[in-house]
Amino acid sequence: MTLLNKLVQNLRSAAAHNPEVQAAPHCILWPDRERLWEPVIAQIQAEIPELLVLGDYAPEQRRGPAIWLRCAIAGTLEGITIDPETPPILYLPGVGRQDLRAVSECPDTLKPLAELQYRGALWSQVNAKDWTPRAFLATELGGLGLDVAGDSATRRALLAALPRLLNEALDDLQGRHLDADAFNTLLTGGDPVRDLLTWLSQPTAMRQKWPANEWQAFCQVCDSQYGIHPERHSVLEALERLATRQGAWKTVWGRFSEAPQRYTGIIDQLRQMPPPDLGLFPEPDEMEPWPQLNTRQEDALYRALCDLGDMPAHQARERLHELDNEHGMRRDWVWAEIDESPLAMALAPLCDLARVTQVSLAGGTAEDMRLAYARDGWRADDALLHALAQVTGQREREAIFTAVRAVYLRWADEAARHLQQAWQPGIDGLKRGEPSPHARQGECVLFVDGLRLDCGKRLAKRLSRRGLEVAEHTTWAALPSVTGTGKYAVAPILGSSSIQEEPEGYQFTPITSYLFKKLLREHGWQVLERQQVELLHKESLDISQPAWCEFGDIDHAGHDRGWKLAQHVDDMLDEVAERIQALLAQGWPQVRVVTDHGWLLLPGDLPKTELPASLVETKWGRCAQVKQGATTEVARYPWYWNEHEHFALAESIHCFKAGEAYTHGGLSLQECVTPELVVTGTAGPEPSVVIDDLAWKGLRCTVVVEGPPEGLTLDLRRHAADATSSLVVSVKPFKPGGKASVVVEDDDSEGEPAQAVIIDDSGKVLAQCTTTIGG
């Protein structure tokens, strides 16, 4: 129940009577000598159709002089209808109870109403005084009994805030001490922190926009709560207090740091202010508010990362951990939120890269190396991609490239050299004619070109977040590790005698695309063309036969984009995950994800191995077909499809072409240890997290979840499944403790229903909770 509802109820209760001894009142008189209720009378009239107002003649507003009121309640006026069961209420602004009682002294303009005091009822206090807004709120006998301060500042603030106060829920007002600050805060929208930040960001625009009464209320709130009066203090003085974050200003800074993009004016002004002298060893909390100091730290980190290029790998790894101790805290600063700390953000994956590459994979048999790479070594490649994803400009590119090469190049080089020495053709690798042990009757096989092991791990995580069961396996790619050789090696036609074993000018491809699809159909497999895969959500397909389909082309993007593939791979994996879920929704019992090869990626380009064009028929990035009779020291290996045909491979992680940052075709763990994912389950997501707590503070919503928060994000939407209905300035990731906060962008949304949703890194909703904006 709102305060307005309670006021209407109280007004109408004035007509209560004992019918055994009393006649029903002809009307209810509402005297208001000080005109305190007049500013909200139209608001009250909207809830009380029988309310008539004494004043100038305006029948469309149900207002008129005393004689008009007498005619209206008598039912003689056209357009004014009086319910005989509900006594009309006559609001009398500027008229007190005593004015009506002294009939002989009553002004002629009021005399038509004087006798109504005997046939009607008066809405007044028990002590016969007129009801004032404060009396109605604070008086226990007949009023609401709220805790309202009695000072003059509170009375003024109450009257100014009365239009908004009437719409407040009575439950929200009970148990609170209502003083000038409370009413001024209500008048300015109920969120003084937001208003203060808006003024700091746009002082002139805010002053011009606000009505005088709201502006004065805002000034009073700032003065009493934050020690700043916008008419007596400058914005620069306020910004200095914001930067110190002392007392109530700590909360203001917290709100600013949650949505800094909303207050760009504050950022611009902080840049222009000289930071204070913090001494030789300042605390991180003292440095955070000053963007200039963060920029200096980024500059220092840039130089330190560039210096890694002159260090041995083991020293570079130690130095990275030292730098993370110095700069890691800046990832939690507000400047990281607006992408002004890319190098500090890159330090986290760079340290992961340093940690993984401390352990060499160059040892044991080829199978030992495969197991070690599948267990933990792939994390180095994953960390490398995460680090490259932080590159935002030329300076960051130089620093991150240098750091990556300092710790990754030798590690990958040693592993590739050892693998090439340990490799035993015919023993290690895929076996001709052996189908996958993970195949299942009636399955759908999804081929993803260039799904390297670390990308397969990311894909598996996305699928698990969608509530699907994922079994992960690894295998060797067919040599050379190119699509023309590897794609057909993982297809379900391995034993087919139709595959050419000695094609003329094979170029690493044993079969044409047309013949490949023909063989699949002859073996009982339906081939889903790309258009059909795109339309899976719109049409049903025949699931009585197993299916082969191809979707996703990481390899093509790698050749086109080079190292920038790192900044797009997640989007491509999201699309693959959606297609897998759609295939399962069609009814296939499992989707088996296979790939042809992995790839090497090294920012700053891979080393080059010379192989003259005169010696080869065909030369790719990492493999080549040597001419018959040509002599070269480059190592040769038998072709997967015909052991009598040999091809040349570049040594280690070298390349036959200069300027290659991304390539494949050779023999390395990154190129040849490939994932195979077996995905089962339903198409619907199963929540893996539970919303444990949800709280509002102004327009800020804070949510705490149970369950692992890694990769989870909080959003507030009108419709849970519609990302375009988001109501917040920006979505926020959950911190390690399982807490995240978002700020609603539109002030006018307060009081409206919304859905707090927890989404994973693929954008899937894992949990949701209905709430009311503002609490």
Side-chain angles (χ1 to χ4, degrees):
M1 177 177 287
T2 65
L3 185 60
L4 178 57
N5 299 145
K6 191 64 177 178
L7 175 64
V8 171
Q9 186 184 86
N10 199 293
L11 269 167
R12 286 175 171 160
S13 69
H17 65 286
N18 184 353
E20 298 294 330
V21 296
Q22 293 175 302
H26 192 64
C27 63
I28 299 172
L29 299 177
W30 177 2
D32 180 15
R33 187 174 184 81
E34 299 181 58
R35 297 178 178 267
L36 300 179
W37 296 96
E38 193 170 25
V40 295
I41 204 64
Q43 190 175 347
I44 299 172
Q45 268 188 310
E47 296 293 321
I48 309 179
E50 67 272 18
L51 176 60
L52 304 173
V53 181
L54 175 68
D56 296 333
Y57 181 68
E60 71 281 359
Q61 299 176 20
R62 288 179 289 173
R63 187 179 74 230
I67 191 63
W68 181 86
L69 292 178
R70 286 298 300 269
C71 295
I73 63 176
T76 61
L77 295 180
E78 184 178 350
I80 301 295
T81 303
I82 299 297
D83 184 354
E85 301 296 327
T86 306
I89 301 172
L90 306 184
Y91 173 67
L92 312 175
V95 178
R97 177 172 177 158
Q98 296 304 318
D99 295 330
L100 295 176
R101 287 196 176 279
V103 177
S104 61
E105 300 176 4
C106 184
D108 291 343
T109 55
L110 287 179
K111 284 182 178 179
L113 302 177
E115 64 90 16
L116 290 177
Q117 65 184 302
Y118 305 112
R119 290 195 296 132
L122 281 163
W123 187 58
S124 60
Q125 300 184 58
V126 176
N127 60 9
K129 292 183 178 181
D130 295 347
W131 277 116
T132 65
R134 184 192 177 278
F136 180 68
L137 291 176
T139 303
E140 294 188 7
L141 191 58
L144 303 182
L146 300 176
D147 179 12
V148 183
D151 58 278
S152 59
T154 298
R155 294 175 189 272
R156 290 194 300 270
L158 167 58
L159 293 177
L162 190 57
R164 296 193 181 187
L165 184 64
L166 288 178
N167 294 320
E168 288 294 296
L170 189 57
D171 289 344
D172 293 340
L173 298 174
Q174 291 173 336
R176 294 174 53 191
H177 178 63
L178 303 174
D179 56 9
D181 275 355
F183 293 125
N184 283 328
T185 297
L186 178 63
L187 180 59
T188 58
D191 192 347
V193 177
R194 178 205 61 206
D195 295 336
L196 179 55
L197 288 171
T198 303
W199 173 66
L200 291 174
S201 183
Q202 303 174 355
T204 303
M206 185 175 176
R207 178 65 185 92
Q208 294 173 347
K209 175 183 176 182
W210 276 23
N213 62 332
E214 294 186 14
W215 171 255
Q216 290 302 320
F218 168 67
C219 291
Q220 293 299 325
V221 170
C222 289
D223 191 22
S224 63
Q225 295 189 19
Y226 304 105
I228 286 288
H229 195 291
E231 290 183 341
R232 296 197 297 266
H233 298 89
S234 70
V235 172
L236 293 180
E237 289 179 274
L239 286 172
E240 288 178 356
R241 300 197 185 190
L242 175 67
T244 61
R245 298 179 294 178
Q246 298 298 316
W249 287 94
K250 185 175 182 180
T251 301
V252 181
W253 177 266
R255 283 285 293 277
F256 166 67
S257 63
E258 288 176 357
Q261 304 93 335
R262 189 174 182 178
Y263 308 105
T264 55
I266 293 178
I267 299 173
D268 294 338
Q269 292 181 84
L270 285 174
R271 291 189 199 284
Q272 297 172 10
M273 294 174 61
D277 183 7
L278 301 178
L280 294 177
F281 304 102
E283 293 294 329
D285 286 349
E286 297 176 313
M287 299 170 61
E288 180 185 0
W290 304 101
Q292 307 92 322
L293 299 184
N294 181 70
T295 300
R296 292 177 192 173
Q297 292 286 301
E298 278 287 290
D299 291 341
L301 180 55
Y302 161 75
R303 292 189 294 270
L305 291 176
C306 290
D307 289 342
L308 297 180
D310 299 325
M311 298 181 184
H314 70 280
Q315 289 184 8
R317 295 185 183 105
E318 293 176 0
R319 181 60 176 147
L320 278 172
H321 291 299
E322 292 173 357
L323 291 172
D324 193 54
N325 290 333
E326 297 174 20
H327 297 273
M329 77 285 186
R330 292 197 292 113
R331 291 193 285 271
D332 296 326
W333 286 8
V334 64
W335 315 117
E337 182 74 20
I338 58 176
D339 300 324
E340 293 194 1
S341 306
L343 294 180
M345 298 300 294
L347 266 180
L350 286 174
C351 285
D352 290 339
L353 179 62
R355 176 189 59 80
V356 178
T357 56
Q358 281 180 323
V359 180
S360 175
L361 298 179
T365 65
E367 187 61 14
D368 293 333
M369 297 181 71
R370 180 184 71 85
L371 295 174
Y373 183 68
R375 182 173 57 251
D376 198 49
W378 63 270
R379 298 182 188 277
D381 300 300
D382 185 63
L384 187 153
L385 294 184
H386 279 296
L388 293 178
Q390 298 299 326
V391 174
T392 58
Q394 180 59 39
R395 191 179 74 154
E396 291 76 30
R397 172 176 172 171
E398 179 185 0
I400 295 173
F401 278 23
T402 302
V404 165
R405 294 180 68 88
V407 298
Y408 181 83
L409 176 58
R410 183 173 178 178
W411 176 82
D413 177 89
E414 291 175 347
R417 290 184 185 279
H418 186 83
L419 178 62
Q420 291 165 8
Q421 294 173 359
W423 184 265
Q424 299 183 57
I427 298 177
D428 299 313
L430 286 174
K431 305 300 186 293
R432 292 271 317 269
E434 293 184 4
S436 170
H438 315 297
R440 180 176 173 184
Q441 187 175 6
E443 70 179 358
C444 179
V445 176
L446 177 65
F447 172 79
V448 182
D449 194 357
L451 185 68
R452 195 169 69 171
L453 182 58
D454 53 313
C455 296
K457 295 284 186 178
R458 291 193 192 188
L459 177 59
K461 185 177 179 180
R462 281 164 168 73
L463 295 170
S464 296
R465 286 280 173 81
R466 292 170 181 256
L468 302 174
E469 296 291 331
V470 184
E472 301 179 49
H473 312 282
T474 60
T475 186
W476 291 105
L479 286 183
S481 52
V482 294
T483 301
T485 292
K487 173 180 175 179
Y488 309 109
V490 295
I493 52 172
L494 285 175
S496 174
S497 59
S498 300
I499 293 182
Q500 301 177 24
E501 295 200 355
E502 296 186 26
E504 185 177 351
Y506 61 92
Q507 295 190 0
F508 318 126
T509 303
I511 191 174
T512 64
S513 177
Y514 169 78
L515 181 57
F516 172 63
K517 294 178 181 179
K518 181 174 181 291
L519 286 173
L520 281 169
R521 295 187 179 102
E522 289 175 354
H523 283 74
W525 288 76
Q526 60 179 315
V527 178
L528 303 183
E529 300 295 345
R530 188 176 184 88
Q531 301 92 310
Q532 291 176 287
V533 179
E534 294 282 358
L535 296 174
L536 274 176
H537 63 291
K538 296 182 179 178
E539 63 181 33
S540 297
L541 301 175
D542 180 13
I543 62 168
S544 61
Q545 287 183 296
W548 168 275
C549 62
E550 301 175 19
F551 187 84
D553 199 346
I554 298 172
D555 185 39
H556 181 77
H559 286 297
D560 280 353
R561 300 178 183 272
W563 69 266
K564 292 183 179 179
L565 170 66
Q567 300 177 333
H568 302 276
V569 69
D570 282 334
D571 292 337
M572 290 185 284
L573 293 176
D574 287 339
E575 293 178 353
V576 174
E578 290 175 5
R579 294 305 180 271
I580 294 171
Q581 192 170 27
L583 289 167
L584 289 170
Q586 293 291 316
W588 274 288
Q590 79 173 25
V591 174
R592 185 159 54 89
V593 182
V594 297
T595 190
D596 46 358
H597 58 75
W599 29 271
L600 285 169
L601 187 146
L602 183 67
D605 300 338
L606 293 155
K608 183 185 177 184
T609 289
E610 292 295 337
L611 182 61
S614 59
L615 300 180
V616 298
E617 298 284 357
T618 303
K619 182 169 66 174
W620 292 12
R622 294 261 295 150
C623 57
Q625 180 185 0
V626 180
K627 288 181 179 179
Q628 188 73 24
T631 301
T632 175
E633 295 182 358
V634 177
R636 300 191 193 187
Y637 294 81
W639 184 32
Y640 174 81
W641 291 103
N642 184 350
E643 62 183 11
H644 301 296
E645 295 284 352
H646 286 70
F647 55 88
L649 288 187
E651 66 173 323
S652 178
I653 58 170
H654 290 208
C655 197
F656 289 138
K657 298 180 180 179
E660 296 283 326
Y662 170 99
T663 192
H664 58 90
L667 179 55
S668 69
L669 294 171
Q670 288 80 3
E671 297 167 281
C672 295
V673 178
T674 57
E676 181 175 342
L677 307 180
V678 178
V679 190
T680 56
T682 60
E686 298 178 1
S688 57
V689 295
V690 176
I691 296 178
D692 184 51
D693 186 36
L694 185 150
W696 284 92
K697 190 171 184 180
L699 293 178
R700 177 178 57 182
C701 179
T702 300
V703 172
V704 179
V705 297
E706 288 184 359
E710 181 185 358
L712 302 184
T713 305
L714 172 64
D715 195 4
L716 201 70
R717 302 173 177 175
R718 293 196 185 278
H719 310 289
D722 183 7
T724 63
S725 68
S726 178
L727 299 165
V728 302
V729 176
S730 61
V731 298
K732 295 290 183 178
F734 279 84
K735 295 181 179 179
K739 180 185 290 187
S741 296
V742 291
V743 178
V744 175
E745 185 170 20
D746 185 1
D747 306 344
D748 296 332
S749 299
E750 189 168 4
E752 297 179 1
Q755 297 287 332
V757 295
I758 314 301
I759 54 180
D760 63 13
D761 47 14
S762 69
K764 207 68 178 177
V765 176
L766 301 181
Q768 65 187 74
C769 176
T770 302
T771 184
T772 300
I773 297 175

